[in-house]
Amino acid sequence: AASNFRVWDPAGSDAKSLEEQIVLHADNVNGAAASGALLYELILRAGLPVSARVVRVSLPSDPTTTSGRTEFEAFAVNTGELMVCVEDAITLPLMRQMIAHQPKKIVCLDKAFAGDDAAKTNARLEAESHGVVFQTA
């Protein structure tokens, strides 16, 4: 099946083509992608089989979040080997909740940080301070 993520097209190297690619990749997830499809693609990208055990983990909402949601979800894969979160927004308190499950690696969507490089860097540093590898997709 086709990827649920947009692929960088290096065909054009002129300024206009590069600008178009940057705009397209501000949100690198294909619009019609279902969260389950994203989850399993990220599991495969992590080098794990689709038969790996996946457990849904409920994460209580951060009280400072204005989304109105009471909980978010992540997925523990292969008994703590990987934690995947396909939420559209990640806060540091939510990141800390995922870290508390002591996975070896956490993968979140890049768009969950809404272009806030400082927030993404803080999430990576927080994870690394607990011995957890962090990456975005």
Side-chain angles (χ1 to χ4, degrees):
S3 176
N4 293 295
F5 295 92
R6 290 186 181 97
V7 178
W8 185 269
D9 181 10
S13 59
D14 61 275
K16 184 165 175 57
S17 295
L18 289 174
E19 182 179 340
E20 289 171 2
Q21 285 294 309
I22 290 170
V23 169
L24 282 173
H25 284 82
D27 177 0
N28 66 338
V29 176
N30 287 332
S35 61
L38 291 170
L39 168 66
Y40 280 95
E41 184 167 347
L42 293 172
I43 289 171
L44 289 171
R45 285 182 174 200
L48 297 172
V50 285
S51 60
R53 184 168 184 249
V54 177
V55 176
R56 181 187 177 277
V57 177
S58 176
L59 306 171
S61 177
D62 169 11
T64 64
T65 302
T66 58
S67 69
R69 291 178 59 187
T70 58
E71 72 177 22
F72 292 86
E73 69 180 5
F75 299 91
V77 182
N78 232 22
T79 317
E81 187 168 343
L82 176 67
M83 176 81 64
V84 176
C85 184
V86 294
E87 293 285 352
D88 288 334
I90 301 290
T91 61
L92 196 52
L94 289 173
M95 187 70 185
R96 288 179 176 144
Q97 289 182 59
M98 288 187 277
I99 292 168
H101 288 272
Q102 300 176 325
K104 293 179 184 173
K105 182 177 188 178
I106 295 174
V107 177
C108 299
L109 298 177
D110 193 55
K111 73 177 187 172
F113 293 94
D116 187 346
D117 290 335
K120 188 170 24 172
T121 299
N122 288 337
R124 181 183 56 81
L125 292 172
E126 182 80 21
E128 288 176 358
S129 73
H130 290 87
V132 177
V133 174
F134 172 74
Q135 86 179 58
T136 59

